Each structure stands twice: as structure tokens, then as C-alpha cells.
């Protein structure tokens, strides 16, 4: 073997080892990954840039929840670009507004994949928006990083789910509240679309079949509705040990304010919600839900070095009063996981990126270390936070690591 060829071989072997270890960072390696080799499927990848889509609701009733995801994804991308990008290419953002309308998500996903040729998309929030867009991603072989806790019962090669599925949030949370509060009776309430309905179906089965409890009421409110008087009267009549809630978006503001006005505060009623993060509390007001609990994998108040750096950077970028909720943090993971996957694959080609990410451990995630599993979900922990008047949650319980099981036996 000639000296030149030997050097080339050794260089290639070194790059391969670094890709496998997820160590390739910075612009210094751009010349080692010619566009013709790292982009063989016509994506919007040039010698200097790669286009990535952001698809969330910047307007409409879901904007209260999704704005944080947009901010987190942009922050992560800015940080990645400051490090030199991905395989030496800066990320160029193409942002679209799903406008809290599920068909619009499908339409915008199609534009991003077919017209803009983005290499990946950070997007969706509600399960309804994800379900609407999923056929587009599967048809066009696009790649979606989805940040929201959701009902499970789904696995697609075209999606990486950076939030919790049902067994990691719903089942573990119900186990905790039943034991901690000796709860036997539950009143279920959610917004009227697929995620709350499916979540409550799972919750009911767990309460009745595994906890030996009883569901004394179940109600669904139209997304965006602000009238909760009738439901609150029913709750007062039933006197459940626990209100289990999955009210989403702008409806949360009216829900908690009306509960408080009716005297159903935490001194008289226990509530565990799976839909309220710091993002929603900003609109609700801490005084309206102080003492209630949320089941999440992340709270802004978590005390670890990675989270402290994340919170500091987020506030520096988006203002000192900005808050960070569970989905916001999960959205922040998306661009970093995408970067790791591309660099492990040594390619932007979707099939190669999909195959490269499972098994990757993101040790510096703000929530703590997470691992991408073969089913495209993350192994993570559940945390229970109790809300204070300042709009921050005190973590009162942290589980061990919970492996994702999107198709739990007996809950389908």
C-alpha cells in the first residue's frame, strides 16, 4: 500500500471510529464529507448548509404550549451552528406555522419535505397534529423529531419520540399518586381529541384493573373551550380523591382559574395533571394551581449542571422571564439527537440517519442522561412536581429509569 493510500485509509478509519462514537463536531471535517457522498437522496444539503424544518403552532389555541418548543429548537440549532454545524454544515431553518389546525400540519409537512427538501423536521405537539402529518412523513420518507408526551400505541421508522409515552408518564404517575395519597376514586377530565381520550382510556384501565380504584367521572371539553362550570359542579358532587387532568392549550387558563374561584384549590382537592408544564403556568398563574401536581420527565427547577447551563442559555436568548417546560426541554433534545445521528451515520440520508441513532446515549441532556431505544423512544425517568405560587415546581418524586413500551400489554 502506498504512503498516500495508507494515509487515506488511516484517515478514513479514524473518521469512522469518531462517527461511531458520536465525536465528530465542528467545521474542520467538512471537506472530509463531500456532499455527493453524504447526500445521495436529493435533500437540501449543500457544501455549507443543511435545511431543517420547524413545524409548530405559532398561532391559535396551542401557541401557549408550542412557543417554547420553537424557542428551544432554535436555541439548540444556534448552539450547534456556533460549534460548526453538522458535518461542517450550518443548519438553515425553514419554519412553518401549523396554526393549531391539524390539516394545516399535514399541508406544511408536505411543503417542507417535497418543496423545501428539508433533511429533518422538528415539529408537531398534539397527537392530532402528529397523526395528521405522519402519513406525509412516511410517504416521503421524511424524518420527524416529536417532542411531546403522548399516549403511545405508535412506532414509526420516520419518527423519533423525545417525550414520554404512556407507561413512562401515565402509569408511573398514577402509581405514585395512588400510593402517596391513598387514592381510591378518580375523576378524569381532558380536552376532546385523540391524546386525552386515549390517555384516559389507558388511565381508566390502570386505575380499575391494577390499582383497584374507581373512576367516578369522565369528561371531555372541546379544544379551546373556556366553560368549565358544569364539570366543576359534577366534581364537587362526586368528591373524588384525585382529579386526573389532561386539559391542554389555552383552555388550561380558564380551567384552573375557575377551579380556584369555585374553592377547589389544593387545600381541598388533590389533582395530578399530565398536561401542565411551566409554559402553561405562565398563562395560568402560579396562584391558581399552587399545591397541585404534574407528572413529567423534566422541570425547570432540576438541580444538575447540564440543566443549569441550559436554563441560563435559554433565558439569555429569550429573556429573563422566559420559562422552560417538559416539552420545551424535549424539543431542545431534537436538534442535538439529529446532529448525533448524522455524525454517527456519516450521512444525511434519512435511512442511514434512522439506523444510526438507536443505542445513542445523550449524557448531557438537561433532564439527565437519556438513551434512544430501538423503538425510537427514549429511556428516561418520571418526575412528580408540586407547583408553587411562583410558577415553578418542586420535584417531590423521581423514578428510576423507565424503558419505553409504546404498546403495553393489556392497555391497547
Amino acid at each position: 500500500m502506498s504512503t498516500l493510500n495508507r494515509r487515506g485509509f488511516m484517515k478514513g478509519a479514524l473518521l469512522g471510529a469518531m462517527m461511531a462514537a458520536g465525536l465528530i463536531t465542528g467545521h474542520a471535517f467538512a471537506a472530509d464529507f463531500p456532499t455527493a457522498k453524504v447526500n445521495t437522496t436529493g435533500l437540501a444539503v449543500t457544501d455549507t448548509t443543511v435545511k431543517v424544518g420547524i413545524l409548530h403552532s405559532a398561532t391559535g389555541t396551542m401557541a401557549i404550549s408550542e412557543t417554547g418548543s420553537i424557542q428551544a429548537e432554535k436555541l439548540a440549532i444556534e448552539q450547534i451552528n456556533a460549534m460548526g454545524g453538522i458535518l461542517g454544515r450550518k443548519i438553515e431553518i425553514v419554519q412553518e406555522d401549523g396554526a393549531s389546525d391539524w390539516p394545516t400540519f399535514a399541508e406544511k409537512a408536505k411543503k417542507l419535505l417535497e418543496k423545501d427538501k428539508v433533511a429533518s423536521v422538528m415539529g408537531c405537539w398534539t397527537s392530532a397534529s402528529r397523526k395528521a402529518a405522519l402519513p406525509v412523513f412516511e410517504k416521503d420518507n421524511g424524518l420527524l423529531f416529536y417532542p411531546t408526551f403522548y399516549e403511545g400505541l405508535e412506532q414509526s421508522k420516520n419518527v423519533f419520540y423525545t417525550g414520554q409515552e404512556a407507561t413512562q408518564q401515565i402509569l408511573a404517575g398514577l402509581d405514585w399518586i395512588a400510593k402517596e395519597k391513598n387514592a381510591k376514586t378518580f375523576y378524569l377530565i381532558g380536552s376532546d381529541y385523540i391524546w386525552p381520550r386515549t390517555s384516559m382510556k389507558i388511565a381508566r384501565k390502570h386505575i380499575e384493573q391494577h390499582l383497584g380504584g374507581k373512576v367516578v367521572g369522565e369528561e371531555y371539553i372541546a379544544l379551546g373551550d373556556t366553560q368549565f362550570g358544569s364539570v366543576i359542579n359534577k366534581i364537587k358532587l362526586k368528591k373524588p380523591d384525585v382529579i386526573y387532568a389532561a386539559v391542554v392549550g389555552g383552555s388550561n387558563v380558564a380551567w384552573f382559574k375557575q377551579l380556584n374561584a369555585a374553592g377547589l384549590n389544593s387545600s381541598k382537592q388533590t389533582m395530578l395533571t399530565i398536561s401542565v408544564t411551566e409554559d402553561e403556568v405562565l398563562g395560568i398563574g402560579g396562584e391558581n394551581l399552587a399545591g397541585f401536581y404534574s407528572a413529567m420527565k423534566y422541570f425547570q427547577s432540576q438541580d444538575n449542571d447540564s440543566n443549569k447551563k441550559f436554563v441560563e442559555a435559554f433565558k439569555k436568548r429569550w429573556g429573563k422571564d422566559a420559562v422552560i417546560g417538559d416539552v420545551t426541554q424535549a424539543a431542545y433534545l431534537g436538534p442535538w439527537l439529529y446532529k448525533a445521528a448524522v455524525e454517527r451515520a456519516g450521512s444525511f440520508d434519512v435511512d442511514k440517519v434512522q439506523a444510526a441513532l438507536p443505542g445513542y446515549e445523550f449524557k448531557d441532556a438537561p433532564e439527565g442522561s437519556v438513551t434512544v431505544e430501538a423503538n425510537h423512544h427514549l429511556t428516561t425517568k418520571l418526575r412528580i412536581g408540586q407547583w408553587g405560587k411562583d410558577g415553578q415546581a418542586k420535584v417531590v418524586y423521581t423514578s428510576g429509569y423507565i424503558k419505553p413500551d409504546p404498546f403495553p400489554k393489556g392497555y391497547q
Side-chain angles (χ1 to χ4, degrees):
M1 184 183 286
S2 70
T3 301
L4 185 61
N5 286 340
R6 188 180 299 112
R7 285 175 179 170
F9 174 80
M10 291 176 67
K11 185 178 183 182
L14 175 62
L15 289 171
M18 293 183 74
M19 283 187 287
L23 295 176
I24 291 177
T25 57
H27 60 277
F29 293 93
D32 297 306
F33 296 93
T35 301
K37 290 186 177 181
V38 300
N39 177 30
T40 68
T41 58
L43 299 172
V45 178
T46 70
D47 292 344
T48 57
T49 64
V50 52
K51 285 187 179 179
V52 169
I54 289 181
L55 176 57
H56 291 292
S57 296
T59 58
T61 190
M62 290 309 303
I64 186 177
S65 297
E66 298 190 51
T67 296
S69 295
I70 297 170
Q71 293 173 332
E73 288 155 0
K74 286 184 174 180
L75 173 63
I77 289 169
E78 288 168 4
Q79 292 173 331
I80 290 168
N81 282 343
M83 294 170 60
I86 304 177
L87 298 187
R89 292 155 175 86
K90 298 292 181 74
I91 299 172
E92 183 180 318
I93 296 171
V94 183
Q95 184 176 346
E96 294 292 343
D97 181 9
S100 305
D101 178 68
W102 321 143
T104 298
F105 273 89
E107 174 190 327
K108 297 298 186 180
K110 184 175 182 180
K111 174 193 175 288
L112 287 169
L113 296 176
E114 297 182 6
K115 181 180 178 182
D116 299 308
K117 303 290 185 181
V118 297
S120 68
V121 177
M122 312 293 148
C124 301
W125 201 100
T126 65
S127 285
S129 66
R130 187 192 72 255
K131 290 287 189 185
L134 183 59
V136 180
F137 281 93
E138 293 184 335
K139 174 181 174 290
D140 292 335
N141 197 30
L143 186 59
L144 173 67
F145 286 82
Y146 176 68
T148 315
F149 40 80
Y150 85 114
E151 69 281 356
L153 308 181
E154 180 181 296
Q155 181 181 330
S156 171
K157 76 180 184 70
N158 297 95
V159 184
F160 283 97
Y161 308 81
T162 63
Q164 313 98 300
E165 48 76 30
T167 66
Q168 296 171 304
Q169 184 188 30
I170 298 171
L171 306 189
L174 284 170
D175 287 346
W176 178 84
I177 200 79
K179 181 179 180 181
E180 184 72 16
K181 301 296 181 180
N182 194 29
K184 302 296 183 185
T185 58
F186 296 77
Y187 200 106
L188 314 182
I189 178 170
S191 295
D192 194 4
Y193 72 97
I194 184 172
W195 174 67
R197 282 192 173 273
T198 307
S199 295
M200 292 308 173
K201 180 181 177 183
I202 293 168
R204 177 184 279 273
K205 284 187 176 181
H206 194 64
I207 290 165
E208 295 176 344
Q209 298 175 14
H210 297 270
L211 299 178
K214 183 179 180 182
V215 175
V216 296
E218 186 171 357
E219 297 280 343
Y220 297 94
I221 307 297
L223 197 63
D225 199 352
T226 57
Q227 301 302 315
F228 290 91
S230 175
V231 176
I232 290 171
N233 287 335
K234 291 177 184 178
I235 291 171
K236 281 185 167 182
L237 186 65
K238 295 290 185 179
K239 295 182 172 60
D241 294 331
V242 174
I243 298 173
Y244 191 68
V247 177
V248 307
S251 297
N252 264 315
V253 178
W255 163 235
F256 282 99
K257 285 185 176 180
Q258 288 170 34
L259 271 176
N260 198 46
L264 287 180
N265 53 42
S266 61
S267 66
K268 297 179 180 178
Q269 177 67 59
T270 297
M271 182 194 297
L272 178 63
T273 173
I274 55 172
S275 58
V276 172
T277 75
E278 289 84 345
D279 294 292
E280 287 77 24
V281 176
L282 197 61
I284 295 165
E287 69 280 2
N288 290 309
L289 79 166
F292 290 141
Y293 300 95
S294 281
M296 298 289 162
K297 67 171 182 168
Y298 170 87
F299 291 97
Q300 183 181 316
S301 60
Q302 282 178 233
D303 187 14
N304 66 65
D305 289 342
S306 293
N307 188 48
K308 288 176 182 176
K309 291 175 183 176
F310 171 50
V311 172
E312 181 183 1
F314 194 92
K315 287 180 175 289
K316 182 178 180 180
R317 177 64 177 84
W318 300 109
K320 63 181 178 64
D321 295 326
V323 298
I324 306 166
D326 179 279
V327 184
T328 298
Q329 189 268 167
Y332 179 74
L333 304 184
W336 289 106
L337 292 176
Y338 178 61
K339 171 182 167 64
V342 171
E343 291 176 349
R344 282 161 67 94
S347 173
F348 290 96
D349 292 353
V350 170
D351 288 341
K352 294 176 183 176
V353 171
Q354 290 165 348
L357 192 52
Y360 175 71
E361 182 182 5
F362 187 10
K363 295 180 180 179
D364 295 325
E367 68 181 85
S369 180
V370 298
T371 301
V372 183
E373 301 296 344
N375 58 22
H376 286 203
H377 294 71
L378 306 184
T379 288
T380 185
K381 296 180 179 182
L382 170 80
R383 294 172 175 86
I384 303 292
Q386 185 172 30
W387 295 106
K389 290 183 179 179
D390 63 353
Q392 289 295 306
K394 178 183 178 182
V395 177
V396 296
Y397 170 75
T398 302
S399 74
Y401 279 104
I402 305 173
K403 280 189 173 292
D405 181 13
F407 297 95
K409 209 170 193 180
Y411 291 91
Q412 299 175 44

